Amino acid sequence: MNTSATTSPAPAAAASGSKSAASRALIIGVAGIVVGLFGLFHAFTTHDSRPVFGWLIGWAFWFSMFTGVLYLVIFTYLFDTGWAVVIRRQLEHALGAFPMLLVGFVPLLLMALGVFGAENQGLLWKWLDPSQTIPGAEHVIGKDPLFVHKAAWLSLPFFCARLAIYTLVFGAFARGFRKNSFALDRDPNPVYFLRCRKLAAGGIYAVSLAATFAAFDLFMSLSYQWYSTIYGVWFFSTSVCSGLAATIVICFLLSQREGQPLYGLYNRAHHYTLGCMLLAFVTFWAFVSFCQYLLVYMSDMPEETWWYNLRELNANWAQSSWWWVSLGLIFGYFFLPFFALLPYQSKVCRGRLLGIAIWVLVFQLLDLYFNILPGKLPDANNVLGYKVVEFIPSIWDLATLIGVGGLCAWAYFRSQAQQEIIPIHDPRIEESLKYHE
C-alpha cells in the first residue's frame, strides 16, 4: 500500500476528528473522576464502603475490557490471522489505555496503603484490617483460621509487590505490541512483525498468569475466605467477551460514513467473523460460570458454598435483588445473546450485531456487580447477625465508569490521531483488506 495515502484528505480529516474526540473524552473523563473522588471523600469521612466498591466496579469494567483487548491482540499475532490485521490496529490503539487504568487505580492503592487513615484501610479489602469483627461471628478477622492460613499471601507488602508485577506485565506487553507495530509503519522491516509474534508467544503465558492472579487479588480476595480454582478462567472469559463486544462497537463507529478511518476497509466478512467469535466466547463464559457453580455444590464444602449462599439468601423475586441479577446473567448474558447470534443475518447485519455487542457489555458489567458487590453488613436485628449488601446501582459507580472510561477513550483517540489508520506494511494487510466469507 502506498504510504502517501496517509496524507490524503480523508485520513487527515480522520486524524483531526480523533484529536477533537480526544479532547471531549478527556473533559468527560476528568469530570467523572472528580465526581468519583467526591464519593471517595464521603466514604473516608463516614466509613461508608459503598462508594469505594463503586470505584472498584467502575474501574474493573474497563480493566476487564482492555485485558480482553490485550488477549485479542495476542491471539491475532499468535495464530497469524490475516483477516484481523485491519481490526488489530484499532486494538493496538486501545492498548494505550493501560497507563490510564493505572491512574484510575491509584486512589484504591493509596487507601490500601493507609494514606487516607488506618481506619479506612479495610473498607474494600477487609483483610487489610485484621482487627475488624466478622459480621455474624464473634471473632475478628485476625483470629479467623482461614485468614491465619492465608496470612502469608494476604499481607500488604506482598499484595503491593504482586500489583507491581501485574502492572509491569500488562504495561510491558501493551507497549511492546504498540511500539513494534507502529515502527513497522515507518520501516517495512519484517523484524518488527516477528518481534510481535515472539511477544505473543510469551504473552499468552505471562498475561494469562498476571490476569488470573490479578483477579484473585482484586476481586476474589474481597471475600478472602472463599476460593475457586476456576475463577481465573471466569475472568478470562468475561474479559474476552467484553473485549470482543467493544471491538465490534469501535469498528462499527469508525466505518459507517465516508471520511471515517475504517470506511471501506472494515467489511461484512470482518464483522461476521467477530460475531462468530462473540458467540463462541459468550458460550464459553456460560460454560465456565456453570462449571464453577456445579463444582462448588458438588464438593459441598462450607468454605466454598457460602459464597453462592450469600447471593442466594432469601432467593425469591420479592426479597432478594441478587435473585434478579442471577436470572439476568443466565438469560441476559447467555441465552438471549446466544440465540440472537446463532442466525447468519445477526452476524452480517451491522446494526443488529452492534445492538447485541452493547447488550453483552451491559450484562458483563452486571457480572462484575455479581462478583464484587455482595458482602456482609452487621445487623443486630437479623438472626444471622448480618444482612447482605443489595444490588442497588449508585451514582458513584456511574461517575467512576464515565471517568475512567473517558480517560481510556482519550488515550485511544490520541493514539489514533498520531499513527496510521491501518498497519500499511504488515505482510498480510492485503489479505485483510480483501477478506471475504
Side-chain angles (χ1 to χ4, degrees):
M1 178 177 289
N2 188 347
T3 57
S4 64
T6 60
T7 60
S8 63
S16 176
S18 295
K19 291 178 180 178
S20 176
S23 299
R24 292 194 297 270
L26 182 60
I27 294 171
I28 293 172
V30 171
I33 291 293
V34 169
V35 175
L37 289 176
F38 274 111
L40 292 184
F41 176 77
H42 169 77
F44 299 148
T45 53
T46 63
H47 308 301
D48 176 14
S49 63
R50 186 59 183 84
V52 185
F53 274 90
W55 189 284
L56 178 63
I57 291 168
W59 178 87
F61 176 78
W62 300 107
F63 172 64
S64 62
M65 177 187 294
F66 289 107
T67 299
V69 167
L70 181 55
Y71 271 120
L72 292 175
V73 172
I74 290 173
F75 293 161
T76 59
Y77 280 115
L78 190 63
F79 299 109
D80 196 16
T81 52
W83 69 270
V85 173
V86 168
I87 296 170
R88 191 186 66 221
R89 174 49 54 90
Q90 309 314 311
L91 303 180
E92 289 165 347
H93 290 318
L95 292 183
F98 272 102
M100 296 300 101
L101 290 173
L102 178 60
V103 171
F105 188 75
V106 166
L108 299 182
L109 180 61
L110 294 178
M111 182 196 68
L113 291 172
V115 173
F116 303 118
E119 67 278 7
N120 292 314
Q121 268 187 293
L123 277 180
L124 188 59
W125 296 289
K126 306 297 183 185
W127 51 267
L128 285 171
D129 183 8
S131 65
Q132 289 191 63
T133 301
I134 301 174
E138 297 180 354
H139 56 269
V140 297
I141 292 174
K143 294 183 179 180
D144 183 0
L146 289 173
F147 173 78
V148 173
H149 179 69
K150 302 176 182 180
W153 185 269
L154 299 177
S155 66
L156 181 58
F158 194 22
F159 177 66
C160 292
R162 294 195 302 273
L163 292 180
I165 293 173
Y166 308 149
T167 301
L168 181 63
V169 170
F170 288 121
F173 280 96
R175 186 177 184 277
F177 285 123
R178 284 168 53 83
K179 179 181 178 181
N180 286 284
S181 180
F182 297 157
L184 184 62
D185 293 340
R186 298 184 293 272
D187 179 8
N189 189 334
V191 68
Y192 298 114
F193 178 77
L194 294 176
R195 286 177 184 172
C196 287
R197 296 211 64 194
K198 291 178 181 178
L199 279 172
I204 194 64
Y205 297 103
V207 171
S208 294
L209 286 172
T212 296
F213 283 95
F216 291 162
D217 284 334
L218 299 177
F219 310 130
M220 187 157 62
S221 75
L222 294 168
S223 304
Y224 71 87
Q225 303 101 324
W226 186 63
Y227 59 90
S228 167
T229 55
I230 206 171
Y231 198 79
V233 187
W234 161 79
F235 184 68
F236 163 76
S237 62
T238 199
S239 294
V240 177
C241 279
S242 178
L244 279 167
T247 302
I248 291 169
V249 173
I250 290 171
C251 290
F252 175 88
L253 295 177
L254 296 180
S255 62
Q256 282 302 100
R257 297 188 302 275
E258 187 173 355
Q260 292 181 320
L262 292 185
Y263 183 79
L265 304 177
Y266 175 72
N267 61 40
R268 172 176 168 141
H270 289 126
H271 61 83
Y272 171 78
T273 305
L274 286 175
C276 290
M277 292 180 66
L278 184 59
L279 172 62
F281 275 94
V282 163
T283 306
F284 182 60
W285 171 86
F287 170 75
V288 170
S289 299
F290 175 73
C291 282
Q292 177 175 267
Y293 186 89
L294 180 65
L295 291 172
V296 164
Y297 270 93
M298 283 181 63
S299 63
D300 197 24
M301 297 173 62
E303 297 89 342
E304 298 177 357
T305 55
W306 74 268
W307 193 84
Y308 281 107
N309 289 338
L310 197 67
R311 288 154 176 78
E312 295 178 358
L313 193 65
N314 300 321
N316 62 69
W317 66 272
Q319 297 186 50
S320 174
S321 58
W322 295 112
W323 186 85
W324 290 104
V325 172
S326 299
L327 287 182
L329 292 176
I330 294 170
F331 291 98
Y333 202 176
F334 172 57
F335 278 112
L336 290 179
F338 176 79
F339 287 109
L341 286 167
L342 280 180
Y344 173 80
Q345 286 299 324
S346 295
K347 296 187 281 288
V348 297
C349 176
R350 293 193 182 193
R352 191 180 302 179
L353 186 60
L354 174 68
I356 296 171
I358 294 174
W359 179 275
V360 168
L361 288 174
V362 170
F363 281 90
Q364 195 264 347
L365 177 61
L366 190 67
D367 190 28
L368 291 174
Y369 270 103
F370 183 80
N371 278 269
I372 293 173
L373 188 56
K376 298 178 180 179
L377 291 177
D379 185 0
N381 297 321
N382 192 304
V383 66
L384 297 173
Y386 65 85
K387 62 181 180 180
V388 180
V389 178
E390 294 294 338
F391 172 62
I392 303 175
S394 164
I395 185 64
W396 311 123
D397 312 348
L398 180 62
T400 307
L401 192 68
I402 293 174
V404 177
L407 295 182
C408 292
W410 171 75
Y412 171 83
F413 286 120
R414 186 167 174 265
S415 176
Q416 190 185 71
Q418 295 173 347
Q419 305 297 336
E420 297 284 357
I421 296 172
I422 57 176
I424 55 178
H425 293 138
D426 189 284
R428 304 191 71 174
I429 183 62
E430 186 174 357
E431 177 184 347
S432 183
L433 293 173
K434 297 180 179 179
Y435 180 60
H436 58 85
E437 300 173 53

